[in-house]
Amino acid sequence: MAEAERIIGTPDIPDAEGADGAEPQRPAEGTEPSQGAESTRGDAKGAEPARGDTEGAEPAGGDPAAGDEAAAGDEAAVGGDAAVGGRRRKKILVLLCVAVLAYLLDLVSKTIVVAELEHRAPVEIFGDWLKLEVIRNAGAAFSFGEAFTVIFTAIASVVIIVIIRLARKLYSLPWAIALGLLLGGALGNLTDRVFRAPGVFEGAVVDFISPAHFAVFNLADSAIVCGGFLIVILSFKGLDPDGTVHKD
């Protein structure tokens, strides 16, 4: 039996334990880890972002407070421009409303008196002091300059163009009313000169308001005179269409 065990051989128990379940070798006490391990740990630490650099970095764009102030200034400028534009649009709306009202009153009154009073006896309103009498005026307001119908037509057209151009810089309510009266009156008489007999741009304006000892006129003439009178007053006061006041 002993001879058989000698021939076959017995397993090396310590070697088997080392191959299967042996624990990893540990460095002896008192020895330092190898430099390679330290290098590995150092590299791992260096891979982490530096918190100090990240926390101390300022956001791009400089001072946030300065940016907020600039943004607030831009918003205030935009708001100011919008407010100015809104005031100008309101004044233009007043001008257009006054012009349309003056034009419609003139047009409707002329249509009525032509249909009801032309070629008839004058209608007395206050005796001989005020009458309604239809006449055809080829001249300017109050029957002035009847030989220059075409010239007065051109002048009325120029006045309308000038008023439209002034409206782009209009910020004054009194000026809006004055220009609206001028525009409505000029359009009223220009409509007569274009569409009434004897021909285009030579038509006679319908006048029907006849005070005693005064020329016969219409509502368009009245609007023109009132608008012009208001402009004279505003000019003496130093008020410009853009709202500025000159104190001389």
Side-chain angles (χ1 to χ4, degrees):
M1 189 68 181
E3 184 65 22
E5 289 178 357
R6 185 182 62 82
I7 295 171
I8 294 172
T10 57
D12 192 358
I13 294 175
D15 292 340
E17 290 178 357
D20 297 334
E23 296 180 359
Q25 295 180 356
R26 298 179 180 177
E29 294 183 0
T31 59
E32 295 181 355
S34 60
Q35 295 181 353
E38 291 180 354
S39 176
T40 304
R41 288 196 295 269
D43 294 341
K45 291 181 179 179
E48 296 179 0
R51 294 183 179 179
D53 296 339
T54 304
E55 293 176 355
E58 294 182 358
D63 188 2
D68 293 341
E69 291 179 358
D74 293 339
E75 292 178 357
V78 173
D81 293 340
V84 171
R87 290 196 299 270
R88 181 174 61 86
R89 285 190 293 269
K90 289 181 180 179
K91 301 307 182 294
I92 293 176
L93 182 61
V94 171
L95 185 154
L96 293 177
C97 290
V98 173
V100 170
L101 179 62
Y103 177 77
L104 290 178
L105 289 175
D106 179 71
L107 182 63
V108 171
S109 63
K110 289 175 179 177
T111 302
I112 293 174
V113 298
V114 167
E116 300 294 335
L117 299 180
E118 193 170 24
H119 308 304
R120 297 181 183 180
V123 176
E124 296 182 354
I125 303 299
F126 295 108
D128 292 336
W129 290 100
L130 179 63
K131 299 179 181 180
L132 297 181
E133 181 181 6
V134 178
I135 66 170
R136 299 291 181 123
N137 174 23
F142 309 111
S143 302
F144 173 75
E146 295 184 1
F148 303 99
T149 305
V150 177
I151 295 176
F152 291 127
T153 303
I155 292 174
S157 301
V158 172
V159 169
I160 293 172
I161 294 173
V162 170
I163 293 173
I164 294 174
R165 291 180 63 87
L166 284 175
R168 296 183 301 177
K169 299 181 179 180
L170 185 61
Y171 296 96
S172 171
L173 180 60
W175 271 95
I177 297 174
L179 294 177
L181 291 172
L182 285 179
L183 181 60
L187 286 173
N189 284 338
L190 184 62
T191 300
D192 285 354
R193 298 187 190 281
V194 173
F195 295 104
R196 296 190 186 277
V200 179
F201 298 117
E202 295 180 354
V205 176
V206 175
D207 291 333
F208 58 91
I209 302 174
S210 178
H213 312 294
F214 197 74
V216 184
F217 59 95
N218 56 40
L219 295 183
D221 297 334
S222 301
I224 292 173
V225 172
C226 291
F229 185 70
L230 182 56
I231 288 176
V232 171
I233 295 176
L234 295 175
S235 299
F236 273 112
K237 288 186 175 181
L239 180 61
D240 291 341
D242 60 359
T244 58
V245 179
H246 301 281
K247 296 181 180 180
D248 297 334

